[in-house]
PDB file of all heavy atoms in Angstrom:
ATOM      1  N   ALA A 207       1.886 -15.398  -8.880  1.00  0.00           N
ATOM      2  CA  ALA A 207       2.912 -14.846  -8.002  1.00  0.00           C
ATOM      3  C   ALA A 207       3.402 -13.487  -8.538  1.00  0.00           C
ATOM      4  O   ALA A 207       3.558 -12.533  -7.829  1.00  0.00           O
ATOM      5  CB  ALA A 207       4.041 -15.782  -7.893  1.00  0.00           C
ATOM      6  N   THR A 208       3.642 -13.404  -9.888  1.00  0.00           N
ATOM      7  CA  THR A 208       4.126 -12.187 -10.476  1.00  0.00           C
ATOM      8  C   THR A 208       3.102 -11.071 -10.406  1.00  0.00           C
ATOM      9  O   THR A 208       3.463  -9.938  -9.950  1.00  0.00           O
ATOM     10  CB  THR A 208       4.467 -12.456 -11.996  1.00  0.00           C
ATOM     11  OG1 THR A 208       5.414 -13.484 -12.067  1.00  0.00           O
ATOM     12  CG2 THR A 208       4.978 -11.188 -12.630  1.00  0.00           C
ATOM     13  N   GLU A 209       1.858 -11.362 -10.765  1.00  0.00           N
ATOM     14  CA  GLU A 209       0.860 -10.356 -10.747  1.00  0.00           C
ATOM     15  C   GLU A 209       0.492  -9.968  -9.257  1.00  0.00           C
ATOM     16  O   GLU A 209       0.239  -8.800  -8.960  1.00  0.00           O
ATOM     17  CB  GLU A 209      -0.385 -10.741 -11.468  1.00  0.00           C
ATOM     18  CG  GLU A 209      -0.169 -10.977 -12.966  1.00  0.00           C
ATOM     19  CD  GLU A 209       0.337  -9.747 -13.653  1.00  0.00           C
ATOM     20  OE1 GLU A 209      -0.148  -8.614 -13.405  1.00  0.00           O
ATOM     21  OE2 GLU A 209       1.323  -9.853 -14.443  1.00  0.00           O
ATOM     22  N   GLY A 210       0.491 -10.953  -8.396  1.00  0.00           N
ATOM     23  CA  GLY A 210       0.252 -10.697  -6.973  1.00  0.00           C
ATOM     24  C   GLY A 210       1.287  -9.787  -6.410  1.00  0.00           C
ATOM     25  O   GLY A 210       0.961  -8.896  -5.581  1.00  0.00           O
ATOM     26  N   ALA A 211       2.557  -9.980  -6.777  1.00  0.00           N
ATOM     27  CA  ALA A 211       3.623  -9.125  -6.256  1.00  0.00           C
ATOM     28  C   ALA A 211       3.400  -7.694  -6.764  1.00  0.00           C
ATOM     29  O   ALA A 211       3.602  -6.711  -5.998  1.00  0.00           O
ATOM     30  CB  ALA A 211       4.931  -9.647  -6.709  1.00  0.00           C
ATOM     31  N   LYS A 212       2.967  -7.504  -8.003  1.00  0.00           N
ATOM     32  CA  LYS A 212       2.723  -6.136  -8.522  1.00  0.00           C
ATOM     33  C   LYS A 212       1.589  -5.460  -7.730  1.00  0.00           C
ATOM     34  O   LYS A 212       1.742  -4.256  -7.348  1.00  0.00           O
ATOM     35  CB  LYS A 212       2.348  -6.235  -9.993  1.00  0.00           C
ATOM     36  CG  LYS A 212       3.521  -6.644 -10.874  1.00  0.00           C
ATOM     37  CD  LYS A 212       3.059  -6.745 -12.354  1.00  0.00           C
ATOM     38  CE  LYS A 212       4.166  -7.189 -13.305  1.00  0.00           C
ATOM     39  NZ  LYS A 212       3.719  -7.279 -14.719  1.00  0.00           N
ATOM     40  N   LEU A 213       0.534  -6.227  -7.427  1.00  0.00           N
ATOM     41  CA  LEU A 213      -0.562  -5.652  -6.677  1.00  0.00           C
ATOM     42  C   LEU A 213      -0.161  -5.347  -5.260  1.00  0.00           C
ATOM     43  O   LEU A 213      -0.546  -4.309  -4.677  1.00  0.00           O
ATOM     44  CB  LEU A 213      -1.761  -6.666  -6.732  1.00  0.00           C
ATOM     45  CG  LEU A 213      -2.414  -6.849  -8.072  1.00  0.00           C
ATOM     46  CD1 LEU A 213      -3.418  -8.034  -7.986  1.00  0.00           C
ATOM     47  CD2 LEU A 213      -3.134  -5.617  -8.546  1.00  0.00           C
ATOM     48  N   ALA A 214       0.664  -6.213  -4.656  1.00  0.00           N
ATOM     49  CA  ALA A 214       1.128  -5.960  -3.303  1.00  0.00           C
ATOM     50  C   ALA A 214       1.968  -4.707  -3.220  1.00  0.00           C
ATOM     51  O   ALA A 214       1.866  -3.896  -2.292  1.00  0.00           O
ATOM     52  CB  ALA A 214       1.908  -7.170  -2.810  1.00  0.00           C
ATOM     53  N   THR A 215       2.851  -4.522  -4.237  1.00  0.00           N
ATOM     54  CA  THR A 215       3.706  -3.323  -4.260  1.00  0.00           C
ATOM     55  C   THR A 215       2.875  -2.059  -4.447  1.00  0.00           C
ATOM     56  O   THR A 215       3.092  -1.074  -3.818  1.00  0.00           O
ATOM     57  CB  THR A 215       4.753  -3.507  -5.353  1.00  0.00           C
ATOM     58  OG1 THR A 215       5.611  -4.591  -5.111  1.00  0.00           O
ATOM     59  CG2 THR A 215       5.625  -2.183  -5.488  1.00  0.00           C
ATOM     60  N   ALA A 216       1.918  -2.158  -5.368  1.00  0.00           N
ATOM     61  CA  ALA A 216       1.057  -1.001  -5.647  1.00  0.00           C
ATOM     62  C   ALA A 216       0.295  -0.599  -4.387  1.00  0.00           C
ATOM     63  O   ALA A 216       0.185   0.601  -3.988  1.00  0.00           O
ATOM     64  CB  ALA A 216       0.111  -1.285  -6.774  1.00  0.00           C
ATOM     65  N   LYS A 217      -0.301  -1.567  -3.677  1.00  0.00           N
ATOM     66  CA  LYS A 217      -1.052  -1.290  -2.492  1.00  0.00           C
ATOM     67  C   LYS A 217      -0.123  -0.771  -1.403  1.00  0.00           C
ATOM     68  O   LYS A 217      -0.469   0.133  -0.651  1.00  0.00           O
ATOM     69  CB  LYS A 217      -1.733  -2.627  -2.034  1.00  0.00           C
ATOM     70  CG  LYS A 217      -2.385  -2.550  -0.664  1.00  0.00           C
ATOM     71  CD  LYS A 217      -3.543  -1.599  -0.644  1.00  0.00           C
ATOM     72  CE  LYS A 217      -4.348  -1.677   0.683  1.00  0.00           C
ATOM     73  NZ  LYS A 217      -5.327  -0.607   0.852  1.00  0.00           N
ATOM     74  N   GLY A 218       1.069  -1.395  -1.234  1.00  0.00           N
ATOM     75  CA  GLY A 218       2.011  -0.974  -0.234  1.00  0.00           C
ATOM     76  C   GLY A 218       2.474   0.450  -0.451  1.00  0.00           C
ATOM     77  O   GLY A 218       2.538   1.238   0.533  1.00  0.00           O
ATOM     78  N   GLN A 219       2.790   0.823  -1.654  1.00  0.00           N
ATOM     79  CA  GLN A 219       3.228   2.197  -1.920  1.00  0.00           C
ATOM     80  C   GLN A 219       2.125   3.180  -1.670  1.00  0.00           C
ATOM     81  O   GLN A 219       2.334   4.286  -1.167  1.00  0.00           O
ATOM     82  CB  GLN A 219       3.700   2.290  -3.351  1.00  0.00           C
ATOM     83  CG  GLN A 219       4.984   1.520  -3.588  1.00  0.00           C
ATOM     84  CD  GLN A 219       5.425   1.486  -5.067  1.00  0.00           C
ATOM     85  OE1 GLN A 219       4.618   1.711  -5.977  1.00  0.00           O
ATOM     86  NE2 GLN A 219       6.713   1.244  -5.266  1.00  0.00           N
ATOM     87  N   ALA A 220       0.874   2.814  -2.003  1.00  0.00           N
ATOM     88  CA  ALA A 220      -0.266   3.713  -1.754  1.00  0.00           C
ATOM     89  C   ALA A 220      -0.476   3.905  -0.202  1.00  0.00           C
ATOM     90  O   ALA A 220      -0.687   5.035   0.266  1.00  0.00           O
ATOM     91  CB  ALA A 220      -1.531   3.183  -2.416  1.00  0.00           C
ATOM     92  N   ASP A 221      -0.417   2.763   0.540  1.00  0.00           N
ATOM     93  CA  ASP A 221      -0.609   2.858   1.988  1.00  0.00           C
ATOM     94  C   ASP A 221       0.538   3.681   2.602  1.00  0.00           C
ATOM     95  O   ASP A 221       0.331   4.426   3.510  1.00  0.00           O
ATOM     96  CB  ASP A 221      -0.597   1.454   2.615  1.00  0.00           C
ATOM     97  CG  ASP A 221      -1.874   0.707   2.335  1.00  0.00           C
ATOM     98  OD1 ASP A 221      -2.853   1.367   1.859  1.00  0.00           O
ATOM     99  OD2 ASP A 221      -1.954  -0.487   2.584  1.00  0.00           O
ATOM    100  N   LEU A 222       1.765   3.507   2.093  1.00  0.00           N
ATOM    101  CA  LEU A 222       2.910   4.274   2.673  1.00  0.00           C
ATOM    102  C   LEU A 222       2.726   5.731   2.443  1.00  0.00           C
ATOM    103  O   LEU A 222       2.936   6.540   3.396  1.00  0.00           O
ATOM    104  CB  LEU A 222       4.206   3.764   1.955  1.00  0.00           C
ATOM    105  CG  LEU A 222       5.503   4.453   2.428  1.00  0.00           C
ATOM    106  CD1 LEU A 222       5.751   4.218   3.939  1.00  0.00           C
ATOM    107  CD2 LEU A 222       6.701   3.993   1.616  1.00  0.00           C
ATOM    108  N   ALA A 223       2.246   6.186   1.299  1.00  0.00           N
ATOM    109  CA  ALA A 223       1.998   7.561   0.970  1.00  0.00           C
ATOM    110  C   ALA A 223       0.947   8.126   1.936  1.00  0.00           C
ATOM    111  O   ALA A 223       1.052   9.240   2.474  1.00  0.00           O
ATOM    112  CB  ALA A 223       1.613   7.717  -0.481  1.00  0.00           C
ATOM    113  N   ASP A 224      -0.116   7.318   2.154  1.00  0.00           N
ATOM    114  CA  ASP A 224      -1.200   7.770   3.095  1.00  0.00           C
ATOM    115  C   ASP A 224      -0.699   7.937   4.517  1.00  0.00           C
ATOM    116  O   ASP A 224      -1.005   8.871   5.190  1.00  0.00           O
ATOM    117  CB  ASP A 224      -2.399   6.773   3.019  1.00  0.00           C
ATOM    118  CG  ASP A 224      -3.202   6.904   1.748  1.00  0.00           C
ATOM    119  OD1 ASP A 224      -3.028   7.928   0.989  1.00  0.00           O
ATOM    120  OD2 ASP A 224      -3.957   5.950   1.417  1.00  0.00           O
ATOM    121  N   LEU A 225       0.076   6.942   4.938  1.00  0.00           N
ATOM    122  CA  LEU A 225       0.576   6.989   6.317  1.00  0.00           C
ATOM    123  C   LEU A 225       1.510   8.198   6.533  1.00  0.00           C
ATOM    124  O   LEU A 225       1.401   8.895   7.565  1.00  0.00           O
ATOM    125  CB  LEU A 225       1.362   5.692   6.635  1.00  0.00           C
ATOM    126  CG  LEU A 225       0.542   4.467   6.767  1.00  0.00           C
ATOM    127  CD1 LEU A 225       1.425   3.170   6.773  1.00  0.00           C
ATOM    128  CD2 LEU A 225      -0.296   4.497   8.075  1.00  0.00           C
ATOM    129  N   LYS A 226       2.352   8.486   5.535  1.00  0.00           N
ATOM    130  CA  LYS A 226       3.287   9.620   5.670  1.00  0.00           C
ATOM    131  C   LYS A 226       2.468  10.979   5.667  1.00  0.00           C
ATOM    132  O   LYS A 226       2.827  11.930   6.226  1.00  0.00           O
ATOM    133  CB  LYS A 226       4.228   9.653   4.483  1.00  0.00           C
ATOM    134  CG  LYS A 226       5.327   8.559   4.674  1.00  0.00           C
ATOM    135  CD  LYS A 226       6.369   8.660   3.559  1.00  0.00           C
ATOM    136  CE  LYS A 226       7.540   7.691   3.749  1.00  0.00           C
ATOM    137  NZ  LYS A 226       8.538   7.767   2.660  1.00  0.00           N
ATOM    138  N   ALA A 227       1.301  10.931   4.949  1.00  0.00           N
ATOM    139  CA  ALA A 227       0.390  12.115   4.924  1.00  0.00           C
ATOM    140  C   ALA A 227      -0.509  12.205   6.109  1.00  0.00           C
ATOM    141  O   ALA A 227      -1.276  13.216   6.261  1.00  0.00           O
ATOM    142  CB  ALA A 227      -0.360  12.113   3.597  1.00  0.00           C
ATOM    143  N   GLY A 228      -0.443  11.228   7.030  1.00  0.00           N
ATOM    144  CA  GLY A 228      -1.307  11.285   8.225  1.00  0.00           C
ATOM    145  C   GLY A 228      -2.651  10.686   8.045  1.00  0.00           C
ATOM    146  O   GLY A 228      -3.530  10.910   8.878  1.00  0.00           O
ATOM    147  N   LYS A 229      -2.940  10.022   6.930  1.00  0.00           N
ATOM    148  CA  LYS A 229      -4.202   9.506   6.653  1.00  0.00           C
ATOM    149  C   LYS A 229      -4.346   8.079   7.280  1.00  0.00           C
ATOM    150  O   LYS A 229      -3.355   7.405   7.348  1.00  0.00           O
ATOM    151  CB  LYS A 229      -4.432   9.424   5.138  1.00  0.00           C
ATOM    152  CG  LYS A 229      -4.445  10.778   4.421  1.00  0.00           C
ATOM    153  CD  LYS A 229      -4.639  10.580   2.960  1.00  0.00           C
ATOM    154  CE  LYS A 229      -4.610  11.927   2.241  1.00  0.00           C
ATOM    155  NZ  LYS A 229      -4.770  11.776   0.743  1.00  0.00           N
ATOM    156  N   PRO A 230      -5.570   7.773   7.699  1.00  0.00           N
ATOM    157  CA  PRO A 230      -5.771   6.429   8.273  1.00  0.00           C
ATOM    158  C   PRO A 230      -5.658   5.273   7.242  1.00  0.00           C
ATOM    159  O   PRO A 230      -6.054   5.470   6.092  1.00  0.00           O
ATOM    160  CB  PRO A 230      -7.205   6.486   8.813  1.00  0.00           C
ATOM    161  CG  PRO A 230      -7.880   7.489   7.995  1.00  0.00           C
ATOM    162  CD  PRO A 230      -6.842   8.560   7.663  1.00  0.00           C
ATOM    163  N   VAL A 231      -5.094   4.185   7.671  1.00  0.00           N
ATOM    164  CA  VAL A 231      -4.891   3.023   6.761  1.00  0.00           C
ATOM    165  C   VAL A 231      -5.337   1.788   7.519  1.00  0.00           C
ATOM    166  O   VAL A 231      -4.917   1.567   8.744  1.00  0.00           O
ATOM    167  CB  VAL A 231      -3.433   2.879   6.325  1.00  0.00           C
ATOM    168  CG1 VAL A 231      -3.220   1.503   5.624  1.00  0.00           C
ATOM    169  CG2 VAL A 231      -3.107   4.042   5.344  1.00  0.00           C
ATOM    170  N   THR A 232      -6.122   0.934   6.900  1.00  0.00           N
ATOM    171  CA  THR A 232      -6.484  -0.307   7.565  1.00  0.00           C
ATOM    172  C   THR A 232      -5.301  -1.365   7.426  1.00  0.00           C
ATOM    173  O   THR A 232      -4.876  -1.636   6.315  1.00  0.00           O
ATOM    174  CB  THR A 232      -7.713  -0.944   6.907  1.00  0.00           C
ATOM    175  OG1 THR A 232      -8.807  -0.034   6.956  1.00  0.00           O
ATOM    176  CG2 THR A 232      -8.100  -2.274   7.617  1.00  0.00           C
ATOM    177  N   ALA A 233      -4.735  -1.669   8.550  1.00  0.00           N
ATOM    178  CA  ALA A 233      -3.582  -2.563   8.528  1.00  0.00           C
ATOM    179  C   ALA A 233      -3.433  -3.384   9.724  1.00  0.00           C
ATOM    180  O   ALA A 233      -3.963  -3.056  10.788  1.00  0.00           O
ATOM    181  CB  ALA A 233      -2.295  -1.567   8.389  1.00  0.00           C
ATOM    182  N   GLN A 234      -2.732  -4.469   9.617  1.00  0.00           N
ATOM    183  CA  GLN A 234      -2.403  -5.335  10.729  1.00  0.00           C
ATOM    184  C   GLN A 234      -0.887  -5.238  11.041  1.00  0.00           C
ATOM    185  O   GLN A 234      -0.042  -5.665  10.245  1.00  0.00           O
ATOM    186  CB  GLN A 234      -2.695  -6.794  10.440  1.00  0.00           C
ATOM    187  CG  GLN A 234      -4.197  -7.028  10.353  1.00  0.00           C
ATOM    188  CD  GLN A 234      -4.527  -8.555  10.151  1.00  0.00           C
ATOM    189  OE1 GLN A 234      -3.710  -9.313   9.663  1.00  0.00           O
ATOM    190  NE2 GLN A 234      -5.737  -8.941  10.559  1.00  0.00           N
TER     191      GLN A 234
END
């Protein structure tokens, strides 16, 4: 749970940066 949360946050922050930059992101 702890490590999964860290990975989820890292992935989320990277996706957020891409979305704000107008880059495509695979998401549901």
Side-chain angles (χ1 to χ4, degrees):
T208 300
E209 296 304 314
K212 291 178 182 179
L213 292 172
T215 298
K217 173 64 173 171
Q219 290 174 340
D221 286 351
L222 179 63
D224 286 344
L225 289 167
K226 287 184 175 181
K229 298 179 180 179
V231 169
T232 301
Q234 290 186 337

